[in-house]
């Protein structure tokens, strides 16, 4: 079978073929060979292929061909295609590939809707410039489709011919099922739909049944691949004691300082804290750059960091799963490090799949604590992925070095309170994330050695967490320090802290903060947890009293209830003529005057 791109010259629009030539690809990948003819011939497609297999071109090429073969020219406010991606980075990447494909196609416009900015800006941009192809994240697209009063998008999609759902299983894992159902309900039924993913799940099958009509199922397997990961990927794991995890990471990065490394953490707070301390600890290791990216960062900052890392040949990027799906890095990644196992098992495949893409070799390493060793068999069964054990004995990870590193991180906290804040937030967020694992029978939060894990974060004090009823591990050794004496290097932060501290000393109450900052402050401030529990208990009692009074006002007393029953029985007797009218009046206490009244 001819898999060259030239073999499509007779079946694909010439303008699209001209765009393909810019990528200098000679042959199509397996998923492109299988999916492009199906979509071009008006078939719905549900495609499953390993990460890094070229799915983006597999749907962009037929989308453009379908739009260009329409005889009538597309008006600027007619939307012919919608492409939905789970993350802003992936949506932006698809936009870049699309822009390259349609450089010479002047009669097709595209637009990106990804959130992070006022929705009115997107509305105004569409009204002013128009678009025939929309690339969007599901939440923002749903909002725009529902804003019928001031958006032309709800009307523009009536001409829709193609809908593409990229990384569809991730769309569901991130909780977009409700948004997707709304979007499918608002779009025309007479359309072509392509659903692309690296894994198939039960939820995904429900979406296929809801959004696709008699779809062609395409499952692409590399004969040499190791399950659902690329064939040239070397997948490893290493069992590491919880207190040594960060030390092992530091020493590993020192050894691989000339490589390009992606490091995954479980939460945004962990990314912020560990990237911050890595920058300090590795500043003399000749590493070109250490950056971080997560979902709570502003778009402009995220895209700037993302683009720089894509083009660099060396460096370290600390991130959450926001970088795990569909992201294609221009310069290959040498190592993917998973500091924590992912919340969703399928994410293990996508994290590791950031390397060994487009025929390149790559390596991935997962850190597991002794209590998490069963995770390897679980991944082997659920994701059909084999992971080999890797010894890290060559690293300088002695107990002495661990203690020295922990004291170094604690010293950062003592000199600048921002490190203390971030360490506490990171630990709390890590524990909360651990309690919500999908595979909670394998990764049990009750098996966590909290004292040793806290040492990995180099905590000065153990946080007073409501999930643990304010208790701390008996074997955790706190640093003897008055937390109110810790100051910020940032002058503005320090001025605010001193003002709040003054109010606290005068009133005994710390000035309230809004949202998460307030909750985190209750966890971290140097006051008695028992006082906080007492205040919370009093609030509950107050609410309970209000409810009791309300119920008392609305409820009948026993005497009133018996009286009503008696009156009801008399009414029934009167209807059945078992008593006379006079007897009824007498029993009810009615007089002639009462009746006249």
């Amino acid at each position: 079978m001819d898999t060259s791109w030239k073999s499509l010259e007779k079946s694909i629009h010439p303008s699209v073929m001209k765009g393909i030539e810019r990528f200098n690809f000679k042959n199509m990948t397996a998923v492109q060979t299988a999916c492009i003819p199906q979509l071009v011939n008006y078939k719905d497609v549900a495609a499953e292929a390993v990460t890094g297999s070229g799915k983006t071109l597999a749907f962009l090429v037929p989308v453009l061909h379908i739009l260009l073969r329409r005889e009538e020219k597309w008006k600027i406010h007619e939307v012919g295609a919608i492409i939905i991606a789970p993350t802003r980075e992936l949506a932006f990447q698809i936009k870049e590939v699309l822009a390259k494909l349609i450089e010479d196609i002047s009669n097709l416009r595209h637009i990106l809707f990804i959130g992070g900015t006022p929705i009115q800006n997107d509305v105004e941009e569409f009204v002013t410039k128009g678009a025939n192809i929309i690339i969007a994240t599901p939440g923002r697209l749903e909002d725009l489709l529902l804003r019928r009063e001031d958006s032309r998008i709800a009307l523009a999609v009536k001409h829709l011919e193609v809908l593409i759902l990229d990384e569809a299983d991730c769309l569901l894992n991130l909780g977009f099922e409700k948004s997707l159902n709304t979007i499918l309900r608002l779009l025309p039924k007479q359309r072509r739909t392509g659903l692309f993913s690296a894994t198939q799940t039960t939820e995904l099958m429900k979406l296929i049944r809801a959004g696709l009509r008699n779809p062609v199922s395409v499952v692409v397997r590399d004969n040499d691949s190791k399950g659902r990961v690329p064939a040239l990927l070397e997948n490893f794991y290493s069992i590491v004691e919880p207190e040594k995890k960060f030390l092992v990471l530091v020493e590993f990065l020192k050894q691989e300082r000339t490589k390009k490394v992606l490091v995954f953490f479980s939460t945004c707070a962990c990314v912020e804290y560990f990237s911050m301390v890595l920058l300090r600890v590795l500043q003399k290791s000749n590493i070109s750059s250490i950056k971080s990216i997560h979902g709570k960062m502003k778009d402009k900052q995220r895209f700037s960091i993302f683009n720089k890392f894509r083009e660099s040949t060396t460096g370290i990027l600390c991130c959450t799963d926001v970088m795990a799906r569909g992201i294609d890095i221009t310069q290959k990644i040498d190592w993917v490090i998973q500091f924590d196992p992912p919340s969703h098992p399928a994410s293990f495949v996508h994290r590791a799949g950031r390397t060994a893409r487009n025929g390149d070799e790559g390596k991935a390493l997962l850190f597991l604590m002794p209590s998490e060793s069963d995770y390897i068999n679980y991944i082997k069964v659920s994701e059909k992925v084999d992971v080999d054990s890797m010894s890290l004995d060559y690293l300088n990870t002695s107990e002495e070095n661990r203690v020295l590193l922990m004291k170094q991180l604690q010293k950062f906290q003592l000199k600048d309170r921002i490190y203390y804040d971030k360490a506490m937030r990171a630990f709390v967020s890590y524990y909360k994330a651990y309690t919500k694992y999908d595979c909670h029978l394998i990764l049990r939060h009750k098996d966590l050695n909290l004292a040793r894990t806290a040492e990995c974060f180099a905590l000065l004090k153990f946080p007073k967490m409501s999930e643990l009823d304010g208790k701390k591990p008996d074997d955790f050794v706190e640093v003897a320090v008055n937390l109110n004496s810790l100051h910020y290097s940032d002058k503005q932060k320090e001025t605010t802290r001193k003002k709040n501290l003054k109010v606290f000393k005068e009133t005994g109450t710390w000035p309230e903060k809004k949202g998460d900052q307030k909750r985190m402050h209750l966890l971290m401030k140097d006051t008695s947890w028992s006082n906080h529990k007492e205040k919370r208990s009093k609030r509950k009692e107050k609410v309970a009293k209000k409810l009791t009074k309300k119920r008392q006002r609305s409820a009948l007393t026993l005497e009133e209830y018996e009286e009503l029953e008696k009156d009801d029985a008399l009414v029934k007797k009167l209807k059945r003529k078992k008593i006379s009218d006079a007897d009824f009046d007498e029993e009810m206490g009615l007089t002639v005057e009462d009746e006249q009244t």
Side-chain angles (χ1 to χ4, degrees):
M1 182 180 179
D2 190 358
T3 61
S4 66
W5 281 102
K6 285 188 177 181
S7 65
L8 295 178
E9 283 182 336
K10 294 181 180 180
S11 56
I12 298 296
H13 195 281
S15 297
V16 183
M17 292 302 299
K18 189 175 181 181
I20 293 171
E21 291 175 3
R22 297 191 185 93
F23 293 91
N24 297 320
F25 293 144
K26 292 182 180 180
N27 295 318
M28 291 183 285
T29 64
V31 69
Q32 291 163 357
T33 304
C35 293
I36 290 175
Q38 300 292 348
L39 282 169
V40 165
N41 291 309
Y42 291 103
K43 298 287 187 181
D44 284 2
V45 173
E48 176 188 352
V50 296
T51 184
S53 57
K55 292 192 288 289
T56 304
L57 280 180
F59 60 73
L60 283 182
V61 168
V63 162
L64 292 176
H65 173 77
I66 290 171
L67 297 188
L68 288 172
R69 72 181 173 190
R70 193 175 88 155
E71 293 182 3
E72 186 181 350
K73 186 178 178 180
W74 287 92
K75 297 177 182 178
I76 63 170
H77 290 109
E78 285 183 332
V79 176
I82 293 177
I83 301 165
I84 301 176
T87 66
R88 297 172 187 177
E89 283 76 17
L90 181 53
F92 185 77
Q93 182 176 284
I94 293 170
K95 175 184 177 294
E96 286 187 325
V97 177
L98 177 62
K100 194 172 182 179
L101 274 172
I102 63 172
E103 277 184 15
D104 298 324
I105 305 175
S106 58
N107 60 324
L108 286 182
R109 301 165 182 259
H110 66 282
I111 196 168
L112 183 68
F113 295 143
I114 56 175
T117 56
I119 193 170
Q120 193 59 37
N121 292 358
D122 290 339
V123 173
E124 291 173 2
E125 184 180 1
F126 181 78
V127 171
T128 305
K129 299 179 180 179
N132 310 117
I133 304 171
I134 291 175
I135 304 164
T137 48
R140 178 50 61 98
L141 180 61
E142 180 191 20
D143 288 346
L144 288 166
L145 288 173
L146 291 173
R147 292 170 68 91
R148 295 178 178 273
E149 68 281 359
D150 57 354
S151 170
R152 296 186 185 179
I153 297 173
L155 295 174
V157 297
K158 289 185 176 182
H159 305 279
L160 188 75
E161 293 204 16
V162 191
L163 171 67
I164 301 294
L165 302 176
D166 193 18
E167 300 294 350
D169 57 331
C170 184
L171 288 167
L172 297 175
N173 287 340
L174 293 177
F176 289 124
E177 184 175 2
K178 186 177 178 182
S179 295
L180 289 175
N181 288 334
T182 302
I183 291 168
L184 292 174
R185 178 171 52 83
L186 295 172
L187 296 180
K189 299 295 184 291
Q190 298 297 321
R191 64 169 190 271
R192 294 301 94 207
T193 304
L195 187 147
F196 291 79
S197 178
T199 53
Q200 295 279 3
T201 63
T202 304
E203 291 76 15
L204 194 58
M205 295 307 296
K206 292 178 183 176
L207 183 61
I208 290 172
R209 287 193 290 270
L212 282 69
R213 295 182 302 168
N214 300 320
V216 174
S217 178
V218 175
V219 180
V220 178
R221 292 275 189 265
D222 187 335
N223 293 331
D224 299 321
S225 70
K226 303 168 185 177
R228 290 175 172 170
V229 294
L232 297 178
L233 173 65
E234 295 183 68
N235 229 334
F236 301 104
Y237 76 92
S238 186
I239 303 296
V240 184
E241 296 295 334
E243 67 271 24
K244 284 189 176 182
K245 279 181 70 177
F246 184 64
L247 173 63
V248 171
L249 176 64
V250 169
E251 294 299 327
F252 185 88
L253 293 176
K254 284 181 181 178
Q255 293 282 341
E256 304 292 334
R257 58 184 173 275
T258 60
K259 303 291 179 63
K260 188 171 182 177
V261 184
L262 199 59
V263 186
F264 283 96
F265 295 93
S266 58
T267 70
C268 299
C270 287
V271 169
E272 287 193 355
Y273 172 61
F274 284 115
S275 63
M276 196 178 197
V277 292
L278 278 174
L279 196 61
R280 293 284 300 273
V281 172
L282 297 175
Q283 61 184 348
K284 296 181 181 179
S285 300
N286 296 323
I287 294 174
S288 60
S289 68
I290 300 174
K291 301 291 184 182
S292 64
I293 189 169
H294 57 76
K296 292 184 179 179
M297 296 172 69
K298 293 182 178 179
D299 283 353
K300 189 175 181 180
Q301 185 183 11
R302 276 170 64 175
F303 290 135
S304 174
I305 294 170
F306 171 63
N307 286 327
K308 287 179 182 177
F309 185 72
R310 283 178 67 189
E311 302 300 329
S312 65
T313 55
T314 62
I316 299 167
L317 181 64
C318 301
C319 61
T320 57
D321 282 342
V322 73
M323 287 289 291
R325 301 301 293 249
I327 301 300
D328 195 20
I329 307 297
T330 308
Q331 300 293 334
K332 76 165 189 173
I333 293 174
D334 299 292
W335 276 98
V336 169
I337 308 297
Q338 301 190 53
F339 191 77
D340 310 303
S343 175
H344 302 286
S347 296
F348 175 88
V349 174
H350 298 287
R351 285 180 173 188
R354 294 313 96 208
T355 185
R357 299 175 71 85
N358 302 319
D360 291 325
E361 294 180 350
K363 298 178 182 180
L365 174 61
L366 169 67
F367 291 169
L368 291 175
M369 295 182 288
S371 62
E372 300 170 333
S373 58
D374 290 339
Y375 187 77
I376 294 303
N377 289 330
Y378 178 72
I379 287 295
K380 184 176 181 178
V381 173
S382 66
E383 301 304 317
K384 309 295 187 294
V385 176
D386 290 325
V387 189
D388 300 321
S389 176
M390 181 179 183
S391 174
L392 298 176
D393 293 338
Y394 67 94
L395 298 176
N396 191 10
T397 58
S398 65
E399 179 63 17
E400 182 182 358
N401 286 342
R402 183 193 72 81
V403 174
L404 286 174
L405 179 62
M406 185 176 71
K407 288 184 177 179
Q408 185 181 7
L409 301 190
Q410 290 175 342
K411 191 175 180 180
F412 295 158
Q413 298 177 50
L414 293 170
K415 286 190 173 183
D416 188 350
R417 191 185 180 98
I418 192 66
Y419 286 92
Y420 167 75
D421 289 350
K422 289 188 180 294
M424 295 291 270
R425 289 191 183 101
F427 179 83
V428 171
S429 69
Y430 170 80
Y431 180 79
K432 288 183 176 181
Y434 208 96
T435 62
K436 298 174 183 177
Y437 270 115
D438 274 9
C439 43
H440 56 85
L441 295 177
I442 302 294
L443 304 177
R444 297 180 292 269
H445 68 276
K446 291 182 180 179
D447 293 340
L448 276 177
N449 188 325
L450 293 176
R452 302 291 79 81
T453 305
E455 287 178 8
C456 173
F457 288 77
L459 299 187
L460 298 177
K461 304 278 187 181
F462 196 85
K464 301 173 177 65
M465 300 171 62
S466 57
E467 290 83 358
L468 300 173
D469 294 327
K471 297 177 182 177
K472 66 178 181 180
D474 295 333
D475 53 342
F476 178 74
V477 180
E478 294 188 340
V479 177
V481 60
N482 180 3
L483 298 183
N484 288 330
S485 67
L486 298 183
H487 63 275
Y488 294 106
S489 294
D490 185 292
K491 291 183 179 180
Q492 186 175 353
K493 279 182 172 291
E494 181 59 17
T495 300
T496 303
R497 188 190 72 85
K498 285 182 176 178
K499 287 180 180 178
N500 291 338
L501 183 59
K502 184 179 179 181
V503 173
F504 172 69
K505 288 179 177 179
E506 292 175 353
T507 64
T509 304
W510 197 276
E512 289 189 353
K513 296 186 177 183
K514 294 181 180 179
D516 292 337
Q517 288 182 333
K518 178 184 175 182
R519 288 192 291 272
M520 283 305 306
H521 191 72
L522 288 172
L523 295 174
M524 294 186 295
K525 76 179 178 184
D526 194 20
T527 57
S528 170
W529 176 255
S530 59
N531 289 341
H532 174 58
K533 285 186 72 177
E534 186 180 345
K535 289 179 181 178
R536 190 170 61 178
S537 177
K538 287 181 178 179
R539 284 199 298 270
K540 286 184 178 180
E541 287 178 7
K542 191 174 181 180
V543 171
K545 285 180 180 178
K546 285 183 178 179
L547 288 173
T548 303
K549 289 179 180 179
K550 188 176 181 181
R551 287 170 187 152
Q552 286 175 347
R553 287 195 298 269
S554 61
L556 294 168
T557 65
L558 182 61
E559 290 181 357
E560 290 172 330
Y561 188 77
E562 289 176 348
E563 190 70 27
L564 279 174
E565 279 191 328
K566 185 179 178 182
D567 292 346
D568 185 53
L570 285 171
V571 171
K572 289 179 179 178
K573 284 182 179 181
L574 180 64
K575 286 182 178 179
R576 294 171 186 171
K577 297 183 179 180
K578 289 186 178 181
I579 59 173
S580 64
D581 290 342
D583 291 337
F584 177 78
D585 292 341
E586 185 178 350
E587 289 289 340
M588 293 291 290
L590 296 173
T591 64
V592 176
E593 291 181 354
D594 291 331
E595 291 178 345
Q596 288 177 348
T597 303

